[in-house]
Amino acid sequence: MYSSNLIGFILAVFSGAFIGSSFIIKKKGLQRAGLNGTPASVGGYGYLLQPLWWIGMITMIVGEIANFVAYIYAPAYSAVLAHFMLGEKLQTMGMLGCLLCIVGSTEIVLHAPQEKALNSVLEIWLLAVQPAFLLYTASAIAVAFFLILYCAPRYGQTNIFIYIGICSIIGSLTVMSVKAIGIAIKLTLDGANQFVYFQTWIFTVVAISCIITSLNYLNMALDTFNTAVVSPIYYALFTSFTILASAIMFKDYSGQSISSIASELCGFITVLSGTTVLHSTRVPDSPVSTGKT
């Protein structure tokens, strides 16, 4: 048991270090791209030609491979590294907000119910087309479109929750699709080909579309706001929406005790308090020069 816990801790620290560092590396790449062209914060895609941004992406992917409990540690790494490497300041109340996000999300994760074991993509498909999850999916897409089409052009440069909200909401759908793809790959390697089912390809298209959308708006958030604030808010919202989507899809809460549910609600309230404190105390980034006259 101790060996298992030690391995989990090492994986968490390893993954958290890589994911936390990736925010900083990608931010550096975004800053360099902004000096030579249109910044990502206003719709530029020059960062795709920036090697440093791709190094950050690879670093994030390596971290995600061991992300069992990584998001508990990643925001702390990002906040510390942003302070020393990017010169971004996090006020005392901002540090408190970061701590609240970590404590609240840890509380949610520790009391989250165990997911059901699934043995085929078709099982996940049946869960995905339940009325409750279809309603969640439709609501998530509607809210995301509202944020993208109406809020982002008007308030995206001043309200940190717009870009991060889009990443988090779409990200919750990404996780559900990636779970299906992961099971499909595992079963296919075991000899039961899951790629003969059209459902597997639907999950693949959804995952790719959601990942591209999430990355785009995460880049815009990093290019616009203080990384030390973006990281914990993103982690808190992403975790909350993912657990909500998972609970609706898998009905994990049906057998949970009142105390566990109450603990998760307390954790969620703590996360909301932390994100509110972070947003109210953030220090705006200095405008990035585009190098144009």
Side-chain angles (χ1 to χ4, degrees):
M1 179 174 178
Y2 290 109
S3 173
S4 159
N5 290 338
L6 179 61
I7 292 172
F9 175 76
I10 292 173
L11 283 172
V13 174
F14 173 83
S15 180
F18 270 75
I19 294 173
S21 300
S22 74
F23 278 86
I24 309 305
I25 298 171
K26 288 201 294 182
K27 174 91 177 201
K28 284 282 191 181
L30 291 168
Q31 288 176 337
R32 288 190 181 181
L35 293 174
N36 301 316
T38 305
S41 58
V42 292
Y45 295 96
Y47 59 84
L48 294 174
L49 302 176
Q50 184 58 241
L52 195 58
W53 184 85
W54 284 106
I55 292 173
M57 274 300 301
I58 294 170
T59 304
M60 175 174 277
I61 291 170
V62 171
E64 289 289 0
I65 292 174
N67 75 343
F68 298 105
V69 282
Y71 282 101
I72 294 174
Y73 300 90
Y77 278 108
S78 278
V80 172
L81 291 175
H83 175 78
F84 289 106
M85 296 182 66
L86 299 176
E88 297 176 344
K89 305 301 180 184
L90 194 62
Q91 300 174 359
T92 302
M93 289 301 292
M95 294 179 185
L96 174 62
C98 185
L99 179 62
L100 286 172
C101 286
I102 294 172
V103 170
S105 296
T106 303
E107 184 80 3
I108 292 173
V109 171
L110 288 177
H111 291 89
Q114 293 293 322
E115 292 183 357
K116 300 174 183 176
L118 298 169
N119 300 310
S120 76
V121 170
L122 296 180
E123 285 187 38
I124 300 183
W125 178 260
L126 291 176
L127 294 173
V129 295
Q130 296 174 102
F133 189 72
L134 288 177
L135 179 61
Y136 173 81
T137 302
S139 301
I141 292 173
V143 171
F145 270 114
F146 174 72
L147 292 174
I148 291 170
L149 299 177
Y150 180 81
C151 297
R154 294 170 175 80
Y155 313 112
Q157 297 291 308
T158 56
N159 191 319
I160 195 172
F161 288 105
I162 303 299
Y163 294 151
I164 297 180
I166 296 169
C167 300
S168 304
I169 293 170
I170 297 297
S172 68
L173 300 178
T174 305
V175 171
M176 300 301 105
S177 298
V178 168
K179 283 183 179 180
I181 297 169
I183 290 176
I185 293 173
K186 177 181 179 298
L187 293 175
T188 299
L189 292 176
D190 289 341
N193 188 1
Q194 300 293 298
F195 288 90
V196 298
Y197 302 118
F198 75 89
Q199 290 92 339
T200 303
W201 296 104
I202 291 178
F203 282 126
T204 302
V205 170
V206 170
I208 293 173
S209 302
C210 290
I211 288 171
I212 291 173
T213 303
S214 296
L215 280 177
N216 181 53
Y217 285 96
L218 178 59
N219 286 329
M220 294 176 75
L222 287 171
D223 201 37
T224 305
F225 302 103
N226 190 321
T227 309
V229 177
V230 169
S231 178
I233 292 180
Y234 170 67
Y235 136 82
L237 292 183
F238 175 79
T239 301
S240 300
F241 279 115
T242 299
I243 290 178
L244 174 62
S246 181
I248 294 172
M249 184 172 178
F250 298 107
K251 294 185 173 63
D252 298 321
Y253 289 86
S254 56
Q256 274 214 297
S257 64
I258 298 297
S259 60
S260 293
I261 295 175
S263 296
E264 291 190 64
L265 289 175
C266 289
F268 185 68
I269 293 171
T270 304
V271 166
L272 289 179
S273 302
T275 53
T276 301
V277 170
L278 276 169
H279 182 59
S280 64
T281 60
R282 71 181 182 86
V283 178
D285 280 352
S286 300
V288 178
S289 171
T290 63
K292 297 179 181 180
T293 58

